[in-house]
Amino acid sequence: MRASKRDHIVDAATALIRRDGVRAASIAKIIAASESSAGSVYHHFANKNEIVLAVARKALVEPLEATLAAQEGQALSPGTLLRLLSGAVVDGTVDSSLIVQLWAGAADEPQLGLIVREQMEGVRRRATAGLVTYLREQGVADAELRANLLAVLTMGQMMGLLAQRTMIPDFDQVAYLQAASRMLDAAALGRLPA
């Protein structure tokens, strides 16, 4: 099936952002890279933030939501959750270098950061639901409260994995995942030393 013009624009913007970063991926460069007219780009997107949002949605949000949707209703320990999410990076479903560029762009542009965070809310909700189920099965009384914190901690570990995988050539992601999974699972059940 032939990709739509909108998809072609998003793909071109993805390549630009991956290579040059969000700030450098101007509308003019996106128009040129997608071999589109300005009218065509503005027909599909009101501004650059909408394009970056479409890139983030396609490259990050949708793959992570699909990964978690496949686990819907199941108990997910934080370690299991981290391994599931990192599996999307390891298998190439999520491009770690692109995600790092998107985060850098979101940090640089507060409005874009807010939009990306809003898009990631669905991922966080799905992650939290799996954690709540796990914690309830473990007899944790404050499962909802603890699951919210654990979802944030687990996503933070995922961000750490992405950043280190991108920046450190000999990064041992297997050792990182093992250690981070054990730490998160111990934290979930209150078994970390004080």
Side-chain angles (χ1 to χ4, degrees):
M1 185 167 122
R2 187 170 176 218
S4 71
K5 188 62 174 177
R6 185 181 194 284
D7 290 336
H8 187 67
I9 294 165
V10 170
D11 291 344
T14 299
L16 281 171
I17 292 168
R18 181 185 299 113
R19 187 186 72 219
D20 301 333
V22 172
R23 182 180 286 222
S26 66
I27 289 282
K29 287 182 180 178
I30 293 169
I31 290 168
S34 65
E35 299 176 343
S36 301
S37 67
S40 180
V41 170
Y42 284 111
H43 171 75
H44 295 287
F45 302 98
N47 54 44
K48 178 181 162 180
N49 279 354
E50 281 191 12
I51 297 170
V52 175
L53 175 60
V55 169
R57 182 129 196 88
K58 183 176 180 182
L60 176 64
V61 175
E62 289 173 0
L64 293 180
E65 283 185 342
T67 296
L68 293 175
Q71 306 297 316
E72 194 87 35
Q74 295 184 31
L76 298 174
S77 74
T80 300
L81 178 61
L82 179 61
R83 288 187 299 276
L84 276 171
L85 296 175
S86 65
V89 173
V90 172
D91 73 11
T93 302
V94 173
D95 179 338
S96 56
S97 59
L98 175 64
I99 302 313
V100 170
Q101 292 283 26
L102 288 168
W103 286 335
D108 198 34
E109 298 179 35
Q111 181 61 31
L112 180 58
L114 177 64
I115 292 168
V116 171
R117 280 192 300 280
E118 287 172 357
Q119 287 298 308
M120 285 297 292
E121 182 58 25
V123 173
R124 192 197 62 75
R125 266 195 318 274
R126 286 182 188 274
T128 302
L131 291 166
V132 167
T133 302
Y134 169 76
L135 292 169
R136 285 182 179 155
E137 286 180 1
Q138 301 303 309
V140 174
D142 61 344
E144 289 80 9
L145 181 64
R146 192 171 300 186
N148 282 318
L149 176 59
L150 287 167
V152 171
L153 290 172
T154 304
M155 295 300 284
Q157 290 297 314
M158 183 64 194
M159 289 177 188
L161 171 74
L162 287 169
Q164 292 184 66
R165 177 185 160 105
T166 301
M167 296 183 299
I168 301 171
D170 58 348
F171 176 63
D172 187 347
Q173 65 189 21
V174 172
Y176 178 92
L177 284 171
Q178 288 173 346
S181 294
R182 283 192 306 269
M183 178 190 69
L184 288 167
D185 286 345
L189 302 176
R191 295 184 183 148
L192 284 178

